[in-house]
Amino acid sequence: MKKRLKVGLALGSGGAKGIAHIGVIKELEKNNIPIDMIAGASIGAMVGGAYASTKNILSIEEVVQKSSWKRIFKMMDPSLRGGIFSGEKVKIFFSEYAGHPDFKDLMISFIAVACDLKTGKTIYLDKGDVVTAVRASASFPSLFKPVIIKNQALVDGGLSMPVPVEILKKSGMDIIIAVNLDHNLISTKYTKFTIAKTSIRSLNVLRHHLAKRVSQSADIIIEPKTGNVNWDKFANGSALVKVGEKATRKKISEIKNLLK
């Protein structure tokens, strides 16, 4: 009997835009597309880690629907060193619906992607405590303190590997579906050249091109049309779930053909 091809899902970084990842997974489930391994960077690690822990995407969507500014403010724990916030309450929040799993106990194989601030190297986390790994992957520089693991100062995986396709290839996945949230960072009209906006725009250009480069070797690339999304969407992100569903729906027939 012919063995089924293994499918890897690379969930990219992108702040609140990452709520669209929920819609991607919902649509894959709806069409019985198997997911054998997930690699996630930043918000991709949060959604991917939660799904790998529970395999219940509807419960994760419910968390988003119930989020509020009051809930978000509760996660802001001021820090005196390394970042504005310590990030410990983010770990507590994640644990409330994903538990405290070890990588070896997950329902789906999962890899969290972080960046070592000391060396600039991409670090793949797939052993030990999942919550700590997710916290490291989503540690936005200056906003959250780096996570120290084995003398490495780990921060947001989006800095070096915003769409973690490479590690899925190395892990033996036959078909890789990549979700790139940074594809439209420079697609909007830009006319105001203030110092602050020029700096932000420059970083977005870097993110756009890096995400495009690291995702291009995937078999399927899903690019949800999220537009510019601010942090407030963490408290009102239901529309982004639908954006993820819509973008994935357009790729379903292509994915099914590959699986054949």
Side-chain angles (χ1 to χ4, degrees):
M1 186 176 180
K2 191 174 181 180
K3 292 180 67 175
R4 177 179 64 77
L5 297 175
K6 293 182 179 180
V7 179
L9 179 63
L11 300 179
S13 61
K17 290 184 293 185
I19 293 172
H21 288 320
I22 296 171
V24 172
I25 295 173
K26 281 183 68 179
E27 196 64 26
L28 293 176
E29 275 196 350
K30 180 181 176 182
N31 287 275
N32 298 313
I33 305 298
I35 301 173
D36 297 288
M37 179 177 285
I38 300 172
S42 194
I43 186 66
M46 292 197 74
V47 175
Y51 183 64
S53 300
T54 64
K55 212 172 181 181
N56 188 342
I57 197 63
L58 295 181
S59 69
I60 299 170
E61 182 181 19
E62 187 178 356
V63 171
V64 171
Q65 291 172 340
K66 290 183 177 179
S67 291
S68 63
W69 275 112
K70 182 179 179 181
R71 179 60 166 151
I72 291 172
F73 283 133
K74 282 184 177 181
M75 289 192 288
M76 297 180 180
D77 44 356
S79 172
L80 298 176
R81 296 181 63 185
I84 298 174
F85 306 114
S86 74
E88 288 305 304
K89 288 189 177 180
V90 173
K91 291 173 66 174
I92 294 171
F93 172 75
F94 184 85
S95 299
E96 283 179 1
Y97 61 87
H100 295 82
D102 189 281
F103 275 94
K104 69 179 186 305
D105 300 321
L106 292 175
M107 301 180 75
I108 301 173
S109 295
F110 170 64
I111 301 169
V113 180
C115 177
D116 182 4
L117 204 55
K118 293 182 179 180
T119 64
K121 292 181 179 180
T122 300
I123 305 298
Y124 298 113
L125 303 169
D126 61 356
K127 291 180 176 63
D129 179 42
V130 174
V131 177
T132 300
V134 168
R135 158 74 178 88
S137 180
S139 185
F140 193 83
S142 297
L143 187 62
F144 293 108
K145 288 176 62 176
V147 174
I148 307 301
I149 299 177
K150 296 180 180 178
N151 203 36
Q152 298 168 327
L154 301 183
V155 294
D156 198 302
L159 287 182
S160 59
M161 189 62 65
V163 190
V165 171
E166 181 182 289
I167 188 61
L168 292 173
K169 284 186 173 293
K170 290 181 177 179
S171 299
M173 296 297 104
D174 301 302
I175 297 172
I176 297 173
I177 302 169
V179 186
N180 178 9
L181 300 173
D182 287 340
H183 66 99
N184 58 3
L185 277 174
I186 59 174
S187 64
T188 55
K189 190 175 181 180
Y190 180 69
T191 56
K192 296 180 180 180
F193 289 92
T194 63
I195 293 175
K197 289 187 176 181
T198 298
S199 298
I200 294 171
R201 181 69 171 185
S202 299
L203 289 173
N204 285 345
V205 168
L206 289 172
R207 286 173 55 189
H208 169 88
H209 288 293
L210 178 58
K212 182 178 180 180
R213 182 179 67 81
V214 299
S215 62
Q216 63 186 3
S217 61
D219 300 285
I220 301 289
I221 302 175
I222 298 172
E223 297 180 331
K225 294 182 179 179
T226 60
N228 292 326
V229 174
N230 296 321
W231 289 96
D232 61 350
K233 286 299 180 183
F234 277 120
N236 184 25
S238 295
L240 287 170
V241 175
K242 296 186 182 300
V243 169
E245 289 176 322
K246 183 178 179 180
T248 308
R249 202 173 298 127
K250 293 178 180 179
K251 297 284 186 175
I252 290 298
S253 60
E254 194 176 343
I255 296 170
K256 288 183 176 180
N257 284 335
L258 284 175
L259 283 169
K260 291 178 183 178

